Amino acid sequence: MNAVVVMKDIEKSFPGVRALHNAQLELRSGEVHALMGENGAGKSTMMKILAGIYRRDGGEILLDGKPVDINSPRQAQDLGIGIIHQELNLMPHLTAAQNMFIGREPRKAAGLLLDEGKLNGQAAEIFASMHLKLDPRTLVGGLTIARQQMVEIAKALSYRSRVLIMDEPTAALNDAEINELFAIIARLKAEGVGIVYISHKMDELKRIADRVTIMRDGEYIGTVPAETTPVEKIISMMVGRALTDERPDVPDHSNSEVVLEVRNLNRGATIRDVSFSVRKGEILGFAGLMGAGRTEVARAIFGADRRDGGDIFMHGKKVDIHMPQDAVRAGIGYLSEDRKHFGLATGMDVRNNVVLASLRRFTGPGGLLKEAAMHDVAVRYIDQLAIKTPSDKQEVRLLSGGNQQKIVIAKWLLRDCEVLIFDEPTRGIDVGAKNEIYKLLNALAQQGRAIIVISSELPEVLRLSHRIAVMCEGRLTGILSGGASQEEIMHLATLRGEGANNNNKQTKPAKGEAK
């Protein structure tokens, strides 16, 4: 296969950060080339340079063996280079076809009117080539995330892309949607499209990648064949060290004080009579398939969504939670799965994000902020949580996903929350940063915090949890000990109908749990 893109010795710096140094990539036509590295390794920066979003400071880009300067996204698209970002860029009030051809719609009547028929016809042709059954006239706002992603792919293909960049494309997809995406990738590959695939999920790479290029700290480490290279070697190349999945023995918290208790929580069909408790120093994992209601439970406890019924107790005392402010006053912190929208003010700096939930403590007479005190506390948490940032004045949007997550944790630690709810704490975070988050969660539990962890990754739930609450279709179908197997969890995660009516039914009772 011929190299369609070669990136040589690419350099890129931002204020206070050298993002890329001597970075390299070779993409062949008709291959899926995985680009891997820890958060902050420079993967997305490298691809944004190829897509014309950033200008490189040095190095060379060859397209079909000829040097090119890519100065804008439009120029990249004209050269046949398309990118699908992790955060989708679609307008929900427009149709799928309108999103695909926005700014270049076919026209009629001497260019005065849009030709909707031709627009929909062109979109339909592309959908057909992808074997995608989707009406081009469907409003994007009514589509699932997976379908929206298909529209983004179709949009990239409408530019006749020969190179397609996918940044964490499966982060919000379930297994069936992932299979649908992989089928489309296989067809594009067969048609000669070169695909750069950024992901942290090792099992995906083994399924679809031909080669893997690894980056670390903005530099090129190496390129290896995906099929024959052990996962352990790829991980060690990414992080510069070997990682272990070993975890200590699961501690018994059956005699510890109950910090949070939830009784008979209900919200429509999404939460049905859910009851559980979390003890001091305990990590309670929440497992279940997509749509099981785990996030809905967390949001109802935190007051982000109104509940229809149920009671919440802190240290045995009933608390009234109607909005997030009530939960925070009660000592409950919630780290949303969508940290960029609900956990951070990404346009603000690290300092302001850390103190955001405790701003009154740093407000002086006349509403003036105590900047020196804010600086001191931000630096303390930067050191304590090993947040990689040039200073506490760095904008949060310029930091990696793992470091952004640590800033959200710092915000709730400063607020001194007794209960911390982590919803998908490592989504979009690389394997090295995951280990850091795992150590941090265990350290917080050892300090006496009561922790709830919601995760779609079973190995993560098993590694972290002292007990595991399993949900299916809005019901809590059982609570297992931390030493449970994936099979036991999946049994409860698929326990529908009559078998799910008893919240206390357990295949393996956890210590200290009512039988």
Side-chain angles (χ1 to χ4, degrees):
M1 289 185 288
N2 296 324
V4 60
V5 170
V6 175
M7 303 180 76
K8 292 182 179 179
D9 305 322
I10 303 297
E11 303 279 338
K12 181 65 181 177
S13 293
F14 299 102
V17 179
R18 186 174 75 172
L20 296 174
H21 177 60
N22 290 334
Q24 328 233 6
L25 179 74
E26 179 202 67
L27 175 67
R28 299 168 184 168
S29 60
E31 81 162 337
V32 177
H33 195 126
L35 186 57
M36 298 200 68
E38 294 189 79
N39 280 84
K43 309 179 299 295
S44 294
T45 300
M46 184 90 153
M47 290 301 97
K48 286 178 179 178
I49 288 173
L50 181 58
I53 298 166
Y54 293 155
R55 293 288 305 274
R56 69 186 188 277
D57 297 334
E60 187 178 28
I61 300 175
L62 305 177
L63 191 63
D64 294 324
K66 298 176 183 178
V68 291
D69 282 317
I70 305 175
N71 301 317
S72 69
R74 185 58 183 263
Q75 186 183 358
Q77 289 164 350
D78 292 342
L79 291 170
I81 300 169
I83 184 169
I84 300 164
H85 298 279
Q86 188 173 354
E87 288 87 18
L88 302 178
N89 295 308
L90 297 171
M91 298 186 183
H93 61 285
L94 298 181
T95 68
Q98 289 166 346
N99 269 281
M100 287 169 59
F101 292 98
I102 192 164
R104 52 197 178 100
E105 300 90 345
R107 293 183 175 270
K108 60 185 178 181
L112 297 176
L113 300 174
L114 293 181
D115 190 339
E116 291 283 352
K118 190 173 183 181
L119 177 77
N120 293 326
Q122 289 176 346
E125 286 181 16
I126 295 172
F127 290 157
S129 72
M130 297 168 61
H131 298 262
L132 179 63
K133 293 180 180 179
L134 179 62
D135 189 333
R137 298 166 296 182
T138 305
L139 289 179
V140 161
L143 296 175
T144 64
I145 294 295
R147 290 273 150 164
Q148 289 183 27
Q149 202 150 46
M150 302 308 174
V151 173
E152 283 275 27
I153 295 172
K155 181 178 179 180
L157 295 180
S158 72
Y159 288 95
R160 302 188 184 280
S161 298
R162 297 181 301 136
V163 174
L164 193 56
I165 303 161
M166 296 184 172
D167 192 351
E168 295 285 353
T170 63
L173 306 187
N174 61 32
D175 288 344
E177 292 164 340
I178 289 171
N179 288 334
E180 187 177 355
L181 175 65
F182 285 179
I184 289 175
I185 289 174
R187 286 193 284 270
L188 295 176
K189 177 181 171 181
E191 292 167 9
V193 177
I195 297 170
V196 181
Y197 191 92
I198 301 175
S199 178
H200 296 123
K201 299 179 180 178
M202 296 292 173
D203 58 320
E204 292 182 1
L205 304 184
K206 290 295 183 180
R207 285 179 64 184
I208 63 168
D210 297 296
R211 292 189 297 159
V212 182
T213 287
I214 296 100
M215 298 180 68
R216 186 170 71 239
D217 298 328
E219 298 189 25
Y220 173 80
I221 300 301
T223 300
V224 296
E227 186 178 0
T228 57
T229 305
V231 167
E232 293 76 16
K233 180 177 180 181
I234 294 174
I235 292 174
S236 66
M237 291 173 73
M238 284 171 56
V239 302
R241 63 191 186 279
L243 296 177
T244 175
D245 281 334
E246 290 181 7
R247 62 162 292 172
D249 292 335
V250 179
D252 178 11
H253 291 282
S254 58
N255 295 320
S256 300
E257 179 190 1
V258 172
V259 179
L260 171 72
E261 184 179 2
V262 176
R263 295 181 191 168
N264 309 118
L265 192 67
N266 281 282
R267 176 177 164 80
T270 60
I271 308 172
R272 309 183 192 190
D273 201 30
V274 169
S275 300
F276 66 91
S277 63
V278 194
R279 297 175 180 271
K280 185 175 181 178
E282 180 183 40
I283 300 176
L284 177 67
F286 263 76
L289 302 175
M290 191 163 290
R294 296 163 301 163
T295 293
E296 287 78 3
V297 166
R299 288 178 59 85
I301 293 170
F302 193 62
D305 293 332
R306 180 186 57 80
R307 64 185 189 273
D308 297 333
D311 297 314
I312 299 170
F313 299 83
M314 288 288 290
H315 298 289
K317 183 179 178 181
K318 185 177 176 180
V319 290
D320 291 322
I321 297 177
H322 303 288
M323 59 184 68
Q325 293 94 318
D326 299 331
V328 173
R329 278 193 291 269
I332 302 171
Y334 175 49
L335 290 83
S336 167
E337 60 181 330
D338 190 348
R339 58 179 173 268
K340 289 186 178 179
H341 285 102
F342 300 117
L344 295 166
T346 54
M348 295 170 67
D349 58 30
V350 174
R351 179 189 301 180
N352 281 287
N353 271 277
V354 169
V355 304
L356 207 53
S358 311
L359 211 49
R360 287 185 181 178
R361 288 169 52 183
F362 300 93
T363 304
L368 295 176
L369 293 176
K370 301 175 182 178
E371 292 287 350
M374 290 166 59
H375 165 74
D376 290 344
V377 77
V379 168
R380 187 174 90 228
Y381 281 109
I382 288 170
D383 292 340
Q384 182 180 328
L385 303 182
I387 300 171
K388 294 177 184 176
T389 176
S391 75
D392 67 319
K393 294 300 289 179
Q394 178 80 329
E395 281 191 37
V396 165
R397 65 182 178 85
L398 298 176
L399 301 182
S400 70
N403 288 302
Q404 289 178 349
Q405 186 72 302
K406 289 180 181 180
I407 291 167
V408 183
I409 295 171
K411 177 179 73 174
W412 292 120
L413 291 182
L414 177 60
R415 184 72 200 200
D416 200 27
C417 292
E418 291 184 88
V419 176
L420 291 170
I421 305 172
F422 291 82
D423 196 348
E424 301 289 358
T426 65
R427 174 169 287 171
I429 293 177
D430 62 81
V431 66
K434 277 186 178 184
N435 270 330
E436 292 184 12
I437 297 294
Y438 295 160
K439 289 178 183 175
L440 183 55
L441 291 178
N442 280 307
L444 292 172
Q446 288 168 10
Q447 292 168 17
R449 317 261 179 177
I451 294 174
I452 295 173
V453 174
I454 300 167
S455 178
S456 298
E457 299 183 31
L458 281 185
E460 182 166 273
V461 172
L462 289 167
R463 176 172 179 174
L464 285 169
S465 305
H466 302 150
R467 290 185 301 143
I468 302 165
V470 189
M471 293 190 67
C472 178
E473 295 181 344
R475 294 184 175 92
L476 185 63
T477 52
I479 297 179
L480 302 168
S481 65
S485 67
Q486 293 196 27
E487 290 76 14
E488 288 171 317
I489 294 174
M490 288 307 298
H491 169 72
L492 290 175
T494 56
L495 194 61
R496 295 180 169 88
E498 291 301 317
N501 286 335
N502 182 2
N503 282 348
N504 291 322
K505 187 176 288 187
Q506 300 172 48
T507 56
K508 183 189 290 185
K511 291 182 180 178
E513 193 68 24
K515 299 178 181 62

